[in-house]
């Protein structure tokens, strides 16, 4: 069955470098790599995203059978995602105009994040095709993880509307599926578990000594890594506070953000100064994807102190490189990390992180056991397997639609 899939990602492009902006992270990697692997399986993928840079061509060939298509909706410039809802009707209309100009017919529409889901609801109705969505993060679950943070009422309302209208919801883990059903109203038949993936060819263990030499990092000191968006929800500040409490004088490598003019990064610099850690904290900014295996291999531990993660891509990539992970006991991280075997899961508190990091860095045998077990623990998350599961879901949805038409 030759399928043509329309993917929607209005607020961030799969071409964006993870960690470079607040909106560029694991979701970008997920969409890009999933599309590439589905394309290898002879599925035609068009990814629609908002056009924000006139220097970027409207159509970028991501891979044979996979394209990224930039759609005009609002100003041809980056804007905050909280301002994007008003442009979702325009986004949907221009996607449909593009489809009609090319004479295409899509079999399934697959939206990512709630804003894309809003636009996709319109298109699924117009085109008469199944709508699959993946929220990646849900406002209600974020609020449960961090009650002090508020989410826009509009987002809460539209996520609930989506849950009641879409044909299928993709959850990255069984835990997320349970939360979608218990807290958000998803149904047993509606929510499917298909994990996120990792590029097992790119993310492989490398010599720690060689990696540190290549990156110019201290060769003899313990190194901890934070990699991701410098969003308070991700908790890079928790890592800095933990480093201050540790008995081991570790160095901290922070990968993400812009080295100049980045408010979040500057706040972390100030915090490092206040904690008297400046000489031991290395801000590298967002790094090219191809460099990340070097970074994971160079450090002793990757630290993921988020309030919540639907999956935890940085944790999976680190384990693929043979590097243990210490992370918050929350969300998908409890599925990815095997506590006491490939890392530690702790409450989101600097003291708990400091205690487990000290333990791991002080016990070379324990660290070696975790490192040896890390990669084999996540082989099931290879992209070929993930894409095959997604393809089967697409095919099932198309068949269900045909049965309904026949009735």
């Amino acid at each position: 069955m030759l399928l043509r899939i329309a993917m929607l990602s209005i607020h961030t492009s799969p071409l964006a470098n993870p960690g470079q902006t607040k909106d560029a992270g694991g979701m970008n990697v997920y969409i890009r790599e999933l599309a590439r692997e589905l394309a290898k399986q002879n599925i035609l993928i068009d990814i629609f995203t908002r056009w924000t840079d006139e220097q970027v061509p409207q159509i970028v060939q991501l891979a044979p059978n996979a394209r990224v298509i930039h759609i005009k909706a609002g100003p041809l410039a980056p804007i905050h995602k909280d301002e994007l809802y008003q442009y979702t009707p325009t986004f949907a209309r221009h996607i449909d105009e593009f489809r009609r100009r090319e004479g295409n017919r899509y079999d399934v529409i697959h939206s990512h994040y709630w804003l894309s889901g809003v636009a996709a609801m319109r298109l699924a109705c117009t085109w008469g095709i199944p709508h699959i969505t993946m929220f990646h993060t849900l406002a209600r679950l974020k609020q449960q993880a961090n009650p002090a943070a508020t989410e826009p009422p509009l987002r809460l309302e539209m996520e609930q509307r989506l849950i009641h209208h879409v044909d299928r919801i993709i959850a990255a883990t069984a835990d997320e599926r349970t939360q979608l059903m218990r807290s958000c109203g998803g149904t047993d038949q509606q929510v499917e578990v298909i994990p996120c993936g990792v590029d097992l060819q790119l993310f492989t263990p490398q010599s720690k000594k060689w990696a540190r030499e290549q990156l110019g990092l201290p060769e003899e000191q313990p190194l901890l890594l934070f990699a991701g968006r410098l969003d308070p929800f991700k908790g890079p500040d928790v890592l800095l506070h933990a480093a201050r409490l540790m008995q081991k004088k570790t160095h901290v490598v922070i990968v993400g953000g812009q080295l100049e003019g980045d408010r979040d990064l500057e706040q972390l610099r100030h915090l490092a100064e206040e904690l008297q850690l400046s000489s031991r904290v290395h801000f590298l900014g967002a790094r090219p994807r191809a460099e990340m295996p070097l970074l994971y291999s160079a450090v002793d531990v990757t630290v993921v102190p988020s309030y919540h993660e639907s999956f935890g891509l940085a944790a999976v990539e680190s384990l693929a490189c043979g590097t243990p992970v210490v992370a918050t006991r929350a969300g998908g991280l409890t599925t990815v990390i095997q506590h006491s075997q490939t890392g530690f899961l702790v409450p989101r508190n600097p003291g708990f992180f400091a205690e487990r990091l000290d333990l791991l860095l002080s016990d070379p045998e324990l660290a070696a056991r975790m490192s040896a077990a890390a990669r084999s623990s996540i082989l099931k998350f290879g992209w070929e397997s993930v894409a095959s599961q997604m393809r089967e879901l697409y095919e099932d949805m198309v068949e269900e639609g045909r049965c309904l038409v026949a009735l």
Side-chain angles (χ1 to χ4, degrees):
M1 181 188 298
L2 180 62
L3 297 178
R4 185 182 290 273
I5 310 299
M7 285 193 184
L8 272 62
S9 178
I10 183 174
H11 82 286
T12 185
S13 169
L15 302 177
N17 192 28
Q20 191 168 7
T21 70
K22 276 195 171 186
D23 293 330
M27 190 180 104
N28 302 66
V29 176
Y30 175 86
I31 296 171
R32 182 175 67 242
E33 298 305 319
L34 176 62
R36 283 175 171 163
E37 191 59 45
L38 287 169
K40 292 179 186 176
Q41 300 184 20
N42 203 32
I43 293 178
L44 303 177
I45 306 288
D46 282 343
I47 307 169
F48 295 96
T49 191
R50 198 177 73 86
W51 209 346
T52 62
D53 185 349
E54 61 183 4
Q55 302 301 318
V56 176
Q58 182 180 22
I59 300 176
V60 176
Q61 199 71 37
L62 185 64
N65 295 336
R67 305 183 293 178
V68 176
I69 300 165
H70 298 91
I71 298 295
K72 290 183 179 179
L76 202 64
I79 57 176
H80 196 279
K81 63 185 176 184
D82 289 349
E83 303 299 319
L84 282 177
Y85 176 79
Q86 62 187 310
Y87 301 117
T88 54
T90 305
F91 187 66
R93 185 175 71 253
H94 288 172
I95 290 174
D96 190 43
E97 290 171 358
F98 178 90
R99 178 198 64 83
R100 285 188 277 112
R101 283 197 305 271
E102 288 214 333
N104 292 333
R105 187 191 186 284
Y106 295 102
D107 297 291
V108 175
I109 190 164
H110 186 170
S111 62
H112 298 273
Y113 197 67
W114 73 275
L115 287 163
S116 299
V118 170
M121 277 196 296
R122 294 171 176 266
L123 292 170
C125 183
T126 301
W127 296 346
I129 62 173
H131 177 192
I132 298 170
T133 196
M134 188 169 187
F135 288 103
H136 296 272
T137 61
L138 275 157
R140 187 177 300 276
L141 300 185
K142 287 183 71 175
Q143 285 189 329
Q144 289 178 1
N146 180 19
T150 58
E151 291 292 330
L154 176 64
R155 177 180 178 181
L156 288 159
E157 176 189 346
M158 296 312 297
E159 284 181 346
Q160 286 303 121
R161 186 177 298 181
L162 275 164
I163 288 168
H164 292 140
H165 283 84
V166 298
D167 298 285
R168 290 290 189 278
I169 301 170
I170 306 298
T173 64
D175 175 75
E176 185 185 8
R177 181 179 189 269
T178 299
Q179 290 181 311
L180 275 162
M181 293 167 61
R182 288 181 178 174
S183 302
C184 305
T187 66
D188 183 59
Q189 292 183 332
Q190 186 185 31
V191 186
E192 299 268 353
V193 177
I194 299 178
C196 298
V198 62
D199 185 339
L200 294 171
Q201 283 70 50
L202 176 62
F203 291 93
T204 58
Q206 301 178 34
S207 162
K208 182 176 296 186
K209 182 176 185 299
W210 180 79
R212 291 187 179 192
E213 289 174 354
Q214 295 299 305
L215 295 166
L217 294 172
E219 295 185 20
E220 303 299 330
Q221 301 297 324
L223 291 182
L224 307 177
L225 173 67
F226 173 92
R229 293 182 289 114
L230 303 186
D231 187 317
F233 192 82
K234 297 289 186 178
D237 60 310
V238 174
L239 173 54
L240 294 182
H241 282 288
R244 181 70 178 85
L245 295 173
M246 290 175 65
Q247 295 178 359
K248 286 279 187 180
K249 298 300 182 183
T250 61
H251 285 241
V252 177
V253 180
I254 295 183
V255 175
Q258 301 279 358
L259 292 177
E260 299 294 337
D262 187 322
R263 180 179 177 184
D264 291 318
L265 192 146
E266 289 305 315
Q267 288 178 341
L268 290 173
R269 284 191 198 275
H270 291 315
L271 178 59
E273 291 174 4
E274 291 174 7
L275 297 174
Q276 299 181 341
L277 294 173
S278 293
S279 63
R280 293 192 276 129
V281 180
H282 308 268
F283 292 96
L284 303 188
R287 307 307 299 168
R289 191 97 185 117
E291 193 175 293
M292 292 307 298
L294 268 180
L295 282 155
Y296 289 120
S297 298
V299 302
D300 297 285
V301 187
T302 297
V303 185
V304 186
S306 307
Y307 277 100
H308 184 271
E309 291 282 350
S310 297
F311 184 61
L313 183 62
V316 179
E317 291 174 346
S318 179
L319 294 173
C321 294
T323 299
V325 179
V326 176
T328 310
R329 187 184 294 118
L333 295 166
T334 62
T335 298
V336 168
I337 299 159
Q338 298 175 12
H339 182 66
S340 297
Q341 297 179 48
T342 61
F344 290 117
L345 295 163
V346 299
R348 192 180 184 276
N349 177 282
F352 286 105
F353 274 93
E355 187 270 332
R356 290 296 177 165
L357 288 167
D358 270 328
L359 172 62
L360 190 49
L361 293 176
S362 301
D363 190 336
E365 290 186 4
L366 173 63
R369 286 199 304 272
M370 287 188 172
S371 180
R375 183 171 174 85
S376 61
S377 73
I378 53 82
L379 293 179
K380 60 189 173 184
F381 298 129
W383 275 116
E384 183 178 358
S385 171
V386 172
S388 295
Q389 294 175 64
M390 193 67 73
R391 186 195 68 239
E392 290 175 8
L393 177 58
Y394 291 157
E395 291 172 348
D396 289 346
M397 296 305 299
V398 171
E399 288 301 320
E400 284 183 24
R402 287 175 180 167
C403 290
L404 290 173
V405 171
L407 290 173

